[in-house]
Amino acid sequence: MKGERNKSFIHRGLGRGEVLGGLLWLSLGALISVMLEVIYLGTWITLPGGALIPFPYTILVAFLFNIVLTRTSMLWTDSRAVAATPLLVWVAGFMALSLWTLSSGDQLVPSTMRSILLLCAGVSGGIWPLLKTA
């Protein structure tokens, strides 16, 4: 009896409002995530000799955090299309930041290989859990 009390389980009797609320919060996290990842994409590290090297750690963050977002959304729903909502919001946020130049003239997403790697890492991190459980 004592061992049963400590067992974890996934609650599946969720209402539509609970699922929408959970996905809304995950989508908000995806938007904040992509904004911070784009902002800090151009990070440089100063070496002891004074040399500067690029250190785009946000590429790895995008991969890992999108894995977390997708796996968490899969706890809320059995539908893979619905579980991909945070990933789709992340991609839409990346595209919106990329197209920001057209409306304001300020380039938020740099035209570098790091931006392409960020997009690839974010998408592959979000798709990974969906494919892993297929």
Side-chain angles (χ1 to χ4, degrees):
M1 195 57 97
K2 193 173 190 178
E4 290 181 27
R5 196 177 324 143
N6 292 330
K7 287 185 178 179
S8 63
F9 65 95
I10 298 173
H11 180 66
R12 290 292 180 189
L14 300 172
R16 177 163 274 191
E18 290 174 308
V19 172
L20 288 174
L23 290 175
L24 177 74
W25 283 109
L26 290 172
S27 297
L28 180 64
L31 282 177
I32 293 170
S33 166
V34 72
M35 184 178 66
L36 290 174
E37 290 157 1
V38 166
I39 288 172
Y40 290 104
L41 186 60
T43 303
W44 290 73
I45 293 180
T46 305
L47 297 177
L52 294 172
I53 59 167
F55 189 67
Y57 65 94
T58 60
I59 294 170
L60 179 62
V61 170
F63 177 76
L64 295 174
F65 193 65
N66 282 349
I67 288 176
V68 170
L69 288 174
T70 303
R71 289 193 67 188
T72 305
S73 68
M74 290 173 67
L75 295 174
W76 287 93
T77 181
D78 293 327
S79 169
R80 293 202 192 308
V82 174
T85 301
L87 172 62
L88 297 174
V89 169
W90 189 91
V91 170
F94 186 88
M95 292 302 158
L97 292 173
S98 297
L99 296 174
W100 188 263
T101 306
L102 299 176
S103 64
S104 71
D106 297 327
Q107 185 176 10
L108 299 177
V109 179
S111 299
T112 63
M113 183 57 82
R114 286 184 257 168
S115 299
I116 295 170
L117 290 174
L118 177 67
L119 179 62
C120 292
V123 169
S124 61
I127 289 176
W128 184 273
L130 297 172
L131 297 178
K132 188 176 176 184
T133 59

